[in-house]
């Protein structure tokens, strides 16, 4: 496992929203700039959380305000709120 990937497994304290976005980009396997439920499931699994499929579905329902089935850049703040509340991630705005 690459050192950068291992670093994100530990999820450092004081991670910013921009760092969170960069972390998510590695799971955008089709490169469309959006995060699908399957891509989000992989991110949650990488984070080490149990029930990744269930949590990905809940995260998508929480963050996907336009009901497109994807989390777009404008909806990242909604995903950040979910990640902090339900996944225990510490993400600061700056």
């Amino acid at each position: 496992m690459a050192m950068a990937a291992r670093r994100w497994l530990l999820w450092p304290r004081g991670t910013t929203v921009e760092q969170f976005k960069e972390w998510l980009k590695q799971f955008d396997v089709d490169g469309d700039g959006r995060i699908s439920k399957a891509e989000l499931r992989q991110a949650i699994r990488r984070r080490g959380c149990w029930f990744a499929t269930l949590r990905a579905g809940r995260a998508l329902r929480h963050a996907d305000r336009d009901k497109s089935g994807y989390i777009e850049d404008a909806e990242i703040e909604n995903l950040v709120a979910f990640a902090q509340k339900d996944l225990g991630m510490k993400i600061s705005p700056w």
Side-chain angles (χ1 to χ4, degrees):
M1 180 179 293
M3 183 58 94
R6 186 174 296 136
R7 183 183 76 219
W8 288 109
L9 280 173
L10 300 175
W11 200 258
R13 290 191 177 270
T15 300
T16 67
V17 172
E18 285 305 313
Q19 289 170 324
F20 180 75
K21 287 181 185 181
E22 286 299 313
W23 176 75
L24 272 179
K25 284 181 185 179
Q26 70 181 311
F27 301 101
D28 182 15
V29 293
D30 60 6
D32 65 357
R34 307 177 301 172
I35 300 296
S36 69
K37 181 179 176 182
E39 293 166 339
L40 191 55
R41 182 177 59 237
Q42 288 300 337
I44 292 171
R45 277 191 185 140
R46 177 76 58 88
R47 172 78 169 93
C49 294
W50 290 33
F51 309 109
T53 300
L54 176 68
R55 289 176 188 237
R58 288 181 57 217
L60 188 66
R61 284 190 300 278
H62 180 85
D64 183 22
R65 297 295 182 202
D66 65 2
K67 307 295 183 217
S68 66
Y70 296 91
I71 299 173
E72 289 129 8
D73 201 46
E75 298 167 325
I76 290 292
E77 294 297 327
N78 303 328
L79 183 59
V80 166
F82 178 86
Q84 290 176 315
K85 182 177 180 241
D86 292 327
L87 300 178
M89 293 179 164
K90 305 292 185 207
I91 304 168
S92 67
W94 55 92

